[in-house]
Amino acid sequence: MRGKHARPPAGPLGPIRDLHRRSLRTVDLRAQLVGLGALLVAIAVFTAGALTIDRAPGPAPGPADSVDAAARPASAPPVADQPAGAVSSAARLRNPDLETTATPTRRPVAPSPRPTAPREPELKIADGLQARYVVSGSWDTGFVAGVVVFNPTAQELAWRVEISHARSAEVQVVTHWNADITRSGSFVVFAGGPLPPGGIQTFGFEALKKPAGPVRPTGCTVNGTPCEIPE
């Protein structure tokens, strides 16, 4: 009986058949070796590529970026929040010619009041001359009187003093000095000048009268201004 794995009987083609089988085994072994070598090469290439990618140096940080990152605190606002016209520190390091002055915000300023110069006290200058009527002596039939004229203004002025008495007193000027005189009954005009600023002019006269007691003039003016007549 032939076994399950019994060889076929050798014949004239037996040697050729054996050679063919050995050739097939050799080809299969070579194919397996070639495949294994290709697999090893592929694994080596993949591993080397991964290492190359991991070890590839990235872009070196520039001095401006490193300084900017180190100088900027964690709570620093982003560049977009910076005011218009401001330049970041990194941009200034990259280009020193950049202007770093931010556009100022103009605020309305209230105008300050101008100092006023102190006013000088106003000098009150009289509008005209001043005069004072004085009786220097009196008796039953006559009297002697005088007038003092003062010029408080800033210019020279001619003066005119008008004196009048009651008709009943029958006053009659008989003599006078330091003035020109014009008579018209009991009305007498004395004139002179010009009187310089601050100047004083005194004139007088002697007159007869009818009353036994003192006689007071009813009117006295200097250039239209009433004279001072003491009681």
Side-chain angles (χ1 to χ4, degrees), residues 7-32:
R7 283 183 164 184
L13 297 179
I16 296 173
R17 199 178 285 119
D18 293 336
L19 180 61
H20 178 66
R21 287 194 188 101
R22 288 194 297 269
S23 299
L24 290 177
R25 291 191 189 99
T26 304
V27 171
D28 291 338
L29 181 59
R30 289 179 179 178
Q32 291 177 5

Side-chain angles (χ1 to χ4, degrees), residues 26-75:
T26 304
V27 171
D28 291 338
L29 181 59
R30 289 179 179 178
Q32 291 177 5
L33 292 175
V34 171
L36 181 59
L39 179 61
L40 292 176
V41 171
I43 292 173
V45 171
F46 178 78
T47 304
L51 293 176
T52 303
I53 293 174
D54 292 339
R55 295 177 181 178
D65 296 336
S66 60
V67 172
D68 192 13
R72 183 183 302 169
S75 61

